[in-house]
Amino acid sequence: MDFWAWLILITKVLAIFVLFALGAIPLVLLERWILGRMQSRYGPHRVGWRGSLQSAADGLKLGIKEDMIPGKSDKGVYWFAPVMMVMPAMAAWAIVPFGPEVEMGRTIGLWVADLNVGILFFLAMGSLGVYGVVMSGWSSNSKYAHLGALRSSAQVISYELVMGLAVLAVIIYAGSLSLIDIVNAQAGLWFIVPQLIGFLLFIIAAVAETNRAPFDLPEAESELVAGFHVEYSGMRWAFFFMAEYANMLLMAALVATLFLGGWRGWTIPGLEALSGVIWFLLKVSLFMFGFFLLRATQPRFRYDQLMNFCWKILIPIGVVNLLIAAGLRMAWS
Amino acid sequence: MADNLETTVAFWYLAIAAVGAGALMLIARNPVHSAISLVIVIFHVAGLFVILGAGFLAVAQIAIYAGAIVVLFLFTLMMLDMRRLPEERVTHRQIWLGIPLGILLAIEGVVVSVGTPEISESIKGTFPPATVSELGGSTEALAVALFNEFTLPFLGASVLLTAATIGAIVLARRVETHEQADFPQAADASSSAEAPAEPVLEESAR
């Protein structure tokens, strides 16, 4: 690798990092505005123009807050848990293709790495995310945090299987594990058409994996106070928050890539070079709005319902869907 | 191993970190710390697989071992009350047997890897790098090996794992319906509400 290749790589990594670090600020604001609208109340409306600086002010507040470490906590693990939360969420972004290759003196792909095992890398990083939850819950030495972590690890491990089954069906259609190849394989037909069931399974699993409503049992304000991160404060707490939003964005990006053709769409006149990225961002925004919509409208599941729903309904559907996908693929070729 | 500078640096970092975390896993007093160290070991060994060009193996290692198995360890450990664990010395009596055996193993390793180049030359396996690139990558090579040459062992392992899972479920259910354990037919036929009366009925029927 020459100097320019290194420079481009480092720029891409930094871009992902900035997106990750600052992405939560506008998203939280949007979420609160949308929730306010849907529940017939104002939402943030004091700081800045119509409350547009509310999230920035919250971020500042978190930054200068005292970093409390509970006296009876396991200090090392307690310190490391937010890192374990953030790291996989960020690493998984490396494989997401934001757009097609662009020419800027040299051919640059709008992704950090085109791994030939890309989608498996995403699943692996997703499965590492549970460590942050387990470690924070255990090390806090608090009953609420402990219960939240137990619920979360069981939930994430279970719904990971559903997600894996949905992804496997896509892999069977695309014939590749690379996300770039998967997007290219959807040139004619987006996978949402042949894989509608897989698409629905993936969305349900994505909401459960990110611990969002209606699957937000690990946090469950009304019963567990705030679940696994109840003891955290200041920037350390902000890390959990950032990881949650980065994971939501990641899931939205993955749904767009796996089922809605990624950056593919009609070329926008006047913006030929950027149309791929615009389409990708539009699709991601659609699913982010879906996350907010679910939170505004759906009541929380009961824990046994959550587990029954996963193991007795979703997983059998996923297996049958996978078998049908494999059968159809065999019939085609 | 040392193809270029980046690979060499990565290798030494990964190797040292993996061995270090492995040592931590063994000497940690707290089982949760041991489990976390084990995750770090798995992660760095996966990095070594990446250096060797086996991306699929690396990702599978992280997804299965770190993502599923050690999470289950942690899940179980979290249920334990750490304060009630026996306060024992980390180094047990086996140390007098362990140290000589360890030294012997280390010497063996050095002799095999350094002393006899013809042995390490001969263990190239079914898929040398040339064959792998011919098949289109390590993932494809693994698939070809699994579904052609080793189909029967692969299916055998699957059946074995399924049997083990079913066995575990059966054992777990036994514990749940403790009183009915000696009378499996009764346990199947009756609901748990009428369980106390059931064994008596069963005995008179015989």
Side-chain angles (χ1 to χ4, degrees), chain B residues 57-82:
Chain B
L57 214 55
V59 172
Q61 162 116 345
I62 293 176
I64 295 167
Y65 285 95
I69 294 176
V70 182
V71 168
L72 286 179
F73 287 176
L74 268 180
F75 195 81
T76 318
L77 287 174
M78 278 171 66
M79 308 277 202
L80 298 176
D81 189 355
M82 295 300 164

Side-chain angles (χ1 to χ4, degrees), chain A residues 177-193:
Chain A
L177 299 174
S178 156
L179 285 175
I180 321 292
D181 290 348
I182 288 176
V183 172
N184 285 330
Q186 299 178 70
L189 185 68
W190 291 357
F191 283 153
I192 188 177
V193 180

Side-chain angles (χ1 to χ4, degrees), chain A residues 109-136:
Chain A
L110 292 180
W111 50 78
V112 175
D114 178 14
L115 296 185
N116 61 356
V117 288
I119 189 67
L120 291 181
F121 180 77
F122 155 72
L123 288 176
M125 289 301 128
S127 61
L128 282 186
V130 70
Y131 279 103
V133 176
V134 171
M135 283 162 70
S136 62

